[in-house]
Amino acid sequence: MQIATDKPVLVTGATGYVAGWLVKRLLEAGLTVHAAVRDPDRAGAVVALGEGTPGTVRLFKADLLDEGSYDAAMAGCGVVFHTASPFVTVIRDAQRDLVDPALKGTRNVLGSANRTASVERVVLTSSIAAVFGDQADLQDIPGGVLSEIYWNTTSNLTHQPYSYSKTLAEGAAWEMANAQDRWRLVVINPGLVVGPGVSGVGRSESFGMIRQLGNGKMKSGVPAYEIGMVDVRDVAEAHLRAGFLPDAEGRHMVFEAPYSFLDLAKVLKPAFPGYPIPERELPKALLWLVGPLLSRQITRKLVSRAFGYPWRGDNGKSRRELGLTYRPVGAATVEMFAQLVEAGLVGRRP
Ligand code: NAP
């Protein structure tokens, strides 16, 4: 793959977990990376990614909700990687905490692209959450296998609001892309991302989920939840290819294979003896009964529609058109858990 280094590239949300490995890959390829961050004073780790690489990092201050704040960062860039979007599950107000930054933020960044003549391509970090809402949705599609032709139609502000935010944001991106013909939109729809942070443990919900497998909270059992999962480094590679392969187009489901939380726990158990890693799945009926008492996030509708179903998807387009080969998610999870151990965020049994 030919990577043009004559123009800088922009990465929004450069402090993020997924963005970190992408920034590193871009710097290794010798690019000048315009790193848009909310707080440049907290972005030392992003600058450090440039050390020992042929690339250059330039920090820019920008916020998804601050109209026009990406203009300066985008000036002169050929490719824009828009990764910034909140990935949190504990929220107070779904509109304010998820939908506004995802949707208004995407319109804000793509509005800058419309005003920036040098931009030829925008790579958007969407999610498989924009392809389906609940595992139960798969029962309504022919063959029960998800692919890029599907859209999430079942999430809303009160049910799976993160998925809703990603669906609205990707939809708006396609609307804006189709209304002009200078820049091309290429979308990456990753599954649940796992693997080590490029600069240690990050704030992404990915760390929160793997942490729960080792902090004792799920010692008595995990929800029977299955979804496509992917190594964070493969997600970065997918973005790079989406940015520079001349023929890359459309959406791409990016995941290695379906895994359940119990599958991950079974890989972690022998690698981390003595840690309170779950050994079984909780019965769905029990979760339905007590889930809402344990957490505001575990609603009865969520238990009914997302837990206890198999998840199937087709990653063929990403392999054929982006040429991706996938690393095993199990090994990535072990590396990620080791970072959590190192940071003292998971505990041995007393
Ligand atoms: P993350 O580490 O929390 O990254 C989110 C990034 O968005 C951070 O850089 C954050 O900046 C930035 N951000 C949030 N609100 C912002 C705002 N108002 N203005 C400017 N920047 C803002 O999470 P991640 O897992 O890497 O997620 C990155 C992208 O991947 C998101 O689009 C997410 O939806 C997508 N994705 C993630 C997964 C996954 O499993 N992790 C799966 C599929 C898709 P701060 O550092 O300042 O907070």
Side-chain angles (χ1 to χ4, degrees):
M1 177 176 54
Q2 190 78 24
I3 297 181
T5 54
D6 53 326
K7 285 184 197 160
V9 297
L10 168 63
V11 179
T12 71
T15 45
Y17 167 52
V18 165
W21 285 102
L22 171 63
V23 169
K24 184 176 158 68
R25 268 305 260 119
L26 294 165
L27 291 167
E28 283 167 355
L31 282 151
T32 296
V33 177
H34 288 190
V37 300
R38 273 201 273 199
D39 182 358
D41 293 336
R42 280 197 304 114
V46 181
V47 176
L49 293 174
E51 285 163 18
T53 74
T56 307
V57 185
R58 291 186 60 201
L59 291 182
F60 291 84
K61 183 176 166 64
D63 192 293
L64 290 171
L65 295 172
D66 186 357
E67 192 64 38
S69 65
Y70 289 88
D71 283 4
M74 205 179 289
C77 290
V79 182
V80 171
F81 295 95
H82 177 36
T83 82
S85 200
F87 179 36
V88 285
T89 51
V90 180
I91 43 142
R92 279 169 189 270
D93 178 337
Q95 182 70 40
R96 185 197 62 194
D97 300 340
L98 289 169
V99 172
D100 284 349
L103 179 59
K104 290 185 185 169
T106 296
R107 291 198 176 124
N108 187 13
V109 171
L110 270 50
S112 298
N114 279 341
R115 290 190 292 274
T116 309
S118 56
V119 173
E120 290 151 21
R121 195 170 284 198
V122 175
V123 179
L124 173 74
T125 316
S126 183
S127 171
I128 51 168
V131 178
F132 83 106
D134 301 311
Q135 277 68 359
D137 296 351
L138 274 66
Q139 297 184 324
D140 299 332
I141 61 175
V145 180
L146 284 169
S147 72
E148 288 83 0
I149 64 170
Y150 297 106
W151 279 84
N152 175 352
T153 57
T154 57
S155 298
N156 55 46
L157 274 180
T158 55
H159 179 67
Q160 303 271 35
Y162 165 73
S163 304
Y164 185 53
S165 76
K166 296 304 286 180
T167 308
L168 293 179
E170 193 193 325
W174 282 115
E175 230 169 73
M176 288 180 75
N178 293 336
Q180 56 79 55
D181 56 13
R182 175 169 39 78
W183 49 267
R184 182 190 294 194
L185 179 66
V186 185
V187 174
I188 299 299
N189 303 83
L192 180 65
V193 183
V194 295
V198 72
S199 323
V201 173
R203 277 175 304 177
S204 166
E205 194 59 37
S206 287
F207 284 98
M209 289 185 187
I210 301 306
R211 186 181 174 194
Q212 290 199 14
L213 296 179
N215 67 3
K217 277 211 172 137
M218 292 190 170
K219 182 66 191 98
S220 52
V222 276
Y225 183 82
E226 187 173 280
I227 195 164
M229 297 195 193
V230 60
D231 185 315
V232 63
R233 292 156 290 197
D234 291 339
V235 179
E237 188 63 33
H239 281 74
L240 188 81
R241 291 173 186 222
F244 293 102
L245 282 173
D247 296 332
E249 58 75 36
R251 314 172 85 194
H252 303 83
M253 289 194 21
V254 166
F255 66 94
E256 187 235 336
Y259 290 90
S260 67
F261 283 126
L262 186 62
D263 291 333
L264 301 187
K266 281 181 181 163
V267 174
L268 292 173
K269 193 90 192 160
F272 298 95
Y275 284 82
I277 295 167
E279 288 170 44
R280 63 187 69 83
E281 285 180 339
L282 293 171
K284 185 165 170 165
L286 177 71
L287 257 179
W288 188 88
L289 206 62
V290 302
L293 307 174
L294 301 174
S295 155
R296 228 159 44 97
Q297 267 64 44
I298 307 179
T299 62
R300 294 213 160 118
K301 184 171 175 186
L302 183 76
V303 174
S304 301
R305 295 192 43 87
F307 297 165
Y309 295 94
W311 185 94
R312 296 289 173 265
D314 180 2
N315 64 9
K317 184 177 178 199
S318 71
R319 289 188 281 107
R320 278 189 314 274
E321 297 188 14
L322 300 180
L324 289 178
T325 53
Y326 287 103
R327 287 162 236 237
V329 153
T333 311
V334 169
E335 285 181 72
M336 189 180 198
F337 198 89
Q339 275 188 340
L340 291 164
V341 169
E342 178 84 33
L345 293 170
V346 285
R348 275 176 187 280
R349 225 183 320 237

